[in-house]
Amino acid sequence: MKAIVVGSQAEGAPLRWSEAPSPSLGPGEVLVDVHATALNRADLLQRAGKYPPPPGASEILGLECSGTVVRLGEGVSGWSIGDRVCALLPGGGYAEQVSVPARMLIPVPAAMSLVEAAALPEVFLTAFSALFGEGRLKDGETVLIHAGASGVGTAAIQLARRAGCRVFVTAGSAEKIAACESLGAELGVNYREEEFEERISDHLGGGGVDVVIDMVGKEYFEKNLRLMNTRGRLVFVSAQSGSRVELNIGRLMAKRLELVGATLRARPLEEKVELKDRFLERFCPDLETGRVKPVIDRIFPITEAEEAHRYMSENRNIGKIVLVVREDWTL
């Protein structure tokens, strides 16, 4: 088969669409003909040698995919050849084929294209876990989502709004703020022009937020703590501005705050399956009706993966960037 191959682990190594070993198919797995995959920040880190795949996972980039089932492994039931599926992966999505544990498959809703479905698993499961798992977000609470126009951000806005919560976001341009508000954010703050802590607190009449979903890290740490309500939960999904901070333990004690990290890739399969099942139980009807769906910014052919990575590294996207593997694609 063909796959995207990284020339070396050095940052900036070229991405090449070339021959690679075909995936093996173990018991309980299915072989999927990949129709499309989608970019994640983890892909940029992995190609730079800063985020290696978990032991036993494919070295090929790609944490999600959509496609059709072409082969069933021993013991697989409930799936048929030709089924349209998408899946969260520990690696291997930037390829023509990938093997997936059957329990991790998500059926693609009839109204959703395979291009759209490729952009669903990673960000929606990350957002669901951060909001309702680590963040324990409840109906009527307030949530601040940093990097609101990112893939995870656009997914989190939709899920939080469907849960009846008030949503605030930060983003870096008027265009991105408008996109977040169109998805249901009550207020967006352009961090290049305003201090989000002051703007949101003023909007809430001096109040704060119950949950913060943070992709920024060090730069926003103290501001997040000051803005949070008593018993607030700060969930770290990423730390793009740095991961080392100075912590005033007294502030945590006074407000009884909780700080927790969230990640998907290294979790055991059983945890991922449970997370996927809980997500579908709660939000599958919304996916089927289109009330909740991936936001897609740009679509590139897989042979232009290098350009797609450059586009993401420049923070130009609103929502997801998709790589199409099969030529017969439509949105």
Side-chain angles (χ1 to χ4, degrees), residues 18-322:
S18 57
E19 293 297 324
S22 296
S24 58
L25 186 65
E29 295 182 336
V30 302
L31 187 67
V32 174
D33 267 353
V34 177
H35 184 90
T37 184
L39 270 64
N40 293 281
R41 289 274 168 189
D43 302 342
L44 306 186
L45 293 174
Q46 181 175 331
R47 71 176 293 193
K50 299 177 182 178
Y51 191 37
S58 172
E59 295 284 341
I60 296 170
L61 299 173
L63 300 183
E64 56 195 330
C65 76
S66 67
T68 55
V69 174
V70 293
R71 211 164 95 207
L72 305 176
E74 180 183 349
V76 173
S77 61
W79 297 97
S80 302
I81 305 301
D83 283 348
R84 299 191 328 144
V85 296
C86 60
L88 180 73
L89 308 170
Y94 288 28
E96 289 183 315
Q97 292 187 322
V98 65
S99 57
V100 185
R103 292 185 297 159
M104 279 306 302
L105 294 178
I106 298 173
V108 176
M112 184 178 291
S113 73
L114 286 173
V115 170
E116 291 173 311
L120 188 153
E122 174 69 21
V123 294
F124 274 93
L125 291 179
T126 296
F128 177 78
S129 177
L131 288 169
F132 305 107
E134 289 79 18
R136 303 195 316 281
L137 185 67
K138 303 177 186 66
D139 184 9
E141 287 192 316
T142 52
V143 57
L144 168 59
I145 301 167
H146 290 302
S150 66
V152 171
T154 54
I157 292 168
Q158 296 178 71
L159 298 184
R161 288 296 299 130
R162 291 300 299 164
C165 298
R166 299 175 69 183
V167 177
F168 304 92
V169 301
T170 61
S173 71
E175 181 185 12
K176 290 184 176 183
I177 294 296
C180 292
E181 292 178 344
S182 73
L183 292 171
E186 180 175 326
L187 175 69
V189 180
N190 185 338
Y191 64 81
R192 301 182 191 277
E193 299 177 352
E194 299 179 279
E195 289 289 343
F196 72 83
E197 177 191 356
E198 296 175 6
R199 179 73 189 283
I200 294 172
S201 182
D202 287 347
H203 182 83
L204 291 169
V209 298
D210 300 303
V211 175
V212 178
I213 305 300
D214 186 33
M215 274 78 89
V216 178
K218 179 180 180 179
E219 185 179 340
Y220 286 178
F221 184 66
E222 283 295 328
K223 298 175 185 178
N224 286 333
L225 296 187
R226 289 195 296 265
L227 185 59
M228 291 165 65
N229 289 329
T230 299
R231 290 191 174 276
R233 288 84 72 195
L234 172 54
V235 182
F236 295 101
V237 176
S238 184
Q240 295 180 28
S241 71
S243 57
R244 294 185 178 275
V245 298
E246 186 172 308
L247 173 61
N248 181 342
I249 296 175
R251 190 186 301 278
L252 263 66
M253 296 171 63
K255 288 189 174 183
R256 287 167 285 164
L257 302 178
E258 297 180 32
L259 312 183
V260 60
T263 186
L264 285 185
R265 193 179 193 183
R267 293 189 191 190
L269 175 61
E270 292 297 334
E271 287 188 22
K272 293 179 183 178
V273 171
E274 180 186 7
L275 176 66
K276 182 264 300 182
D277 289 344
R278 286 192 288 113
F279 168 71
L280 291 179
E281 181 180 3
R282 183 165 184 177
F283 289 106
C284 190
D286 291 319
L287 292 172
E288 291 175 345
T289 60
R291 287 190 295 263
V292 166
K293 62 182 180 180
V295 174
I296 296 178
D297 182 284
R298 287 280 301 272
I299 302 169
F300 292 85
I302 190 69
T303 53
E304 295 179 15
E306 185 70 47
E307 177 59 29
H309 275 221
R310 186 177 303 111
Y311 185 77
M312 172 171 269
S313 69
E314 294 169 354
N315 293 317
R316 294 162 61 185
N317 56 297
I318 296 175
K320 294 286 284 183
I321 302 166
V322 173

